[in-house]
Amino acid sequence: MTERIDCAVIGAGVVGLAVARALALSGREVIVLESAATIGSGISSRNSEVIHAGIYYPTGSLKARLCVAGRELLYEFCRSRSVEHRRLGKLIVAATTEEIPVLKRYAAQAQANGVTDLSWLSLPQVAELEPEVRCAAALLSPSTGIIDTHGLMLAYQAELEAHGGTVAFSSPVEAGTLERSGIELQVGGAPSMALRAGLVVNCAGLDAQGVSHRLQAPAASIPARYLAKGHYFTLSGRSPFRHLVYPVANAAGLGTHVTLDLAGNARFGPDVQWIEDIDYRFDESRVGEFARAIRLYYPKLDEARLQPAYTGIRPKISAADEPAADFRICGPSQHGACPYVALYGIESPGLTASLALAEQVVRLAA
């Protein structure tokens, strides 16, 4: 027997829960299908937990627009729902004079993106804010912060359920068919079930392409998937930092930066390791490379204080030798007018942009 549902969201990470919540708030009946036994066990639990300002992304891109809009939505959501967070601010540092033009480009890019609160710091100001940081120049981003990602996901889930939505765990989507009148889903688990949904939103993260292939979406609508693994090391003992500190970005990410958790502990990462298959194993031999990158702005680092923490994987849709791709949101027009929305390449700043991404999906689905 086939059960009928208005909306099915695939994936109970931070973006999937935000989308499901937004659909439920709009009055729709929603079920979230999650293959794991808990919320946010993939990308959402293996990141830097940073609320980004929206500095780096090309003007007019989804990343730029949704990060800037989502940042303020997220801060307000956290304030009103008592989700633990802190607007610490971050320093973006040029380790050498040769990197100062990069900071100037960041400042111009931020202004073009609507991030108007960056300020240049003199070296005495850097020393006052972060005595252990050495650099040739620095920008201060006061809108950057940190967040309890799990607390945020619980808040999204609570509001989803308060408006009639549900999350079905251990429920992998194994097959399906896109039709203009609805979407057939074959869902595994115990027991397995057949669903017919009036709308399906694919927020499956690392498995987004796999889900679309299993649902027989048009091949031209499914981008290639590339996996960028990142290691994180914690700094044992008391942190010397009071702000986040970022070097200039590299081609695949924002560099090996220092972030703080809500207890004030310091964490470095991520690095970039391109991989073929999902693999969260930690390679402790990368500690030397980490130490060299960190000493460019924190020369007093004692390498013995670096302790393995965890790894994360970014769902890239651009290869290592290509410019970083924008978020990709494919709606009914890319799926033969079928009521299917698929999100690809939702890496950083996906957490920051989660509420704005959800609004975008609701508009597209309508």
Side-chain angles (χ1 to χ4, degrees):
M1 179 178 175
T2 299
E3 300 287 339
R4 294 183 176 272
I5 186 76
D6 182 16
C7 303
V9 175
I10 302 171
V14 66
V15 173
L17 290 170
V19 168
R21 167 190 171 271
L23 288 168
L25 287 173
S26 73
R28 303 193 69 161
E29 178 193 20
V30 184
I31 185 171
V32 180
L33 302 171
E34 169 55 49
S35 61
T38 186
I39 60 173
S41 61
I43 299 169
S44 299
S45 62
R46 294 172 173 271
N47 59 71
S48 299
E49 296 192 297
V50 171
I51 301 175
H52 289 287
I55 298 166
Y56 305 91
Y57 318 109
T59 304
S61 66
L62 285 174
K63 285 184 177 179
R65 292 188 290 109
L66 298 181
C67 182
V68 172
R71 178 194 72 209
E72 292 310 309
L73 290 172
L74 188 55
Y75 276 127
E76 176 55 33
F77 183 91
C78 290
R79 282 192 295 267
S80 61
R81 275 75 166 186
S82 299
V83 175
E84 195 171 2
H85 69 290
R86 202 162 298 144
R87 196 188 289 240
L88 290 178
K90 82 173 177 184
L91 278 66
I92 313 171
V93 299
T96 65
T97 54
E98 287 77 16
E99 292 181 341
I100 292 176
V102 180
L103 291 193
K104 291 180 179 179
R105 290 198 294 273
Y106 289 165
Q109 189 68 57
Q111 188 73 27
N113 288 351
V115 182
T116 58
D117 60 355
L118 292 191
S119 60
W120 286 93
L121 298 178
S122 67
L123 295 186
Q125 287 174 318
V126 173
E128 182 179 354
L129 292 175
E130 292 294 347
E132 299 297 330
V133 170
R134 296 292 177 268
C135 62
L139 285 168
L140 175 65
S141 170
S143 294
T144 303
I146 57 175
I147 188 170
D148 174 5
T149 306
H150 192 70
L152 175 65
M153 290 190 289
L154 288 173
Y156 286 166
Q157 182 184 4
E159 291 199 2
L160 162 69
E161 292 174 346
H163 288 82
T166 59
V167 182
F169 295 108
S170 302
S171 299
V173 174
E174 297 179 337
T177 308
L178 304 187
E179 300 174 0
R180 292 190 178 189
S181 58
I183 298 174
E184 299 283 343
L185 299 174
Q186 299 298 320
V187 182
S192 61
M193 59 181 169
L195 285 179
R196 183 171 182 82
L199 168 70
V200 171
V201 183
N202 175 357
C203 299
L206 295 173
D207 194 34
Q209 284 89 339
V211 166
S212 287
H213 283 298
R214 294 195 292 276
L215 298 185
Q216 304 174 63
S221 72
I222 307 173
R225 183 188 75 169
Y226 304 94
L227 303 176
K229 181 177 180 178
H231 293 71
Y232 291 85
F233 283 84
T234 55
L235 186 70
S236 64
R238 185 175 180 180
S239 169
F241 306 104
R242 291 173 292 176
H243 304 77
L244 313 186
V245 181
Y246 280 56
V248 298
N250 56 45
L254 300 183
T256 302
H257 49 264
V258 57
T259 62
L260 301 173
D261 64 22
L262 289 160
N265 300 308
R267 174 176 57 210
F268 294 98
D271 60 353
V272 178
Q273 179 186 14
W274 294 92
I275 58 177
E276 294 295 323
D277 301 299
I278 295 172
D279 177 5
Y280 290 114
R281 287 177 296 179
F282 200 101
D283 181 1
E284 296 188 32
S285 71
R286 301 179 79 84
V287 66
E289 181 181 336
F290 258 78
R292 285 190 292 275
I294 294 164
R295 287 195 180 109
L296 294 175
Y297 57 87
Y298 176 35
K300 290 185 180 179
L301 171 71
D302 177 1
E303 185 175 324
R305 294 179 63 192
L306 291 177
Q307 302 297 315
Y310 57 92
T311 62
I313 299 175
R314 283 155 280 182
K316 301 281 188 179
I317 53 174
S318 50
D321 58 351
E322 296 175 339
D326 198 6
F327 293 155
R328 186 175 300 184
I329 305 175
C330 297
S333 62
Q334 285 86 34
H335 299 118
C338 297
Y340 181 59
V341 180
L343 284 68
Y344 303 107
I346 310 299
E347 53 171 332
S348 180
L351 168 61
T352 305
S354 57
L355 289 167
L357 274 164
E359 291 184 350
Q360 183 93 352
V361 169
V362 170
R363 286 193 295 270
L364 193 58

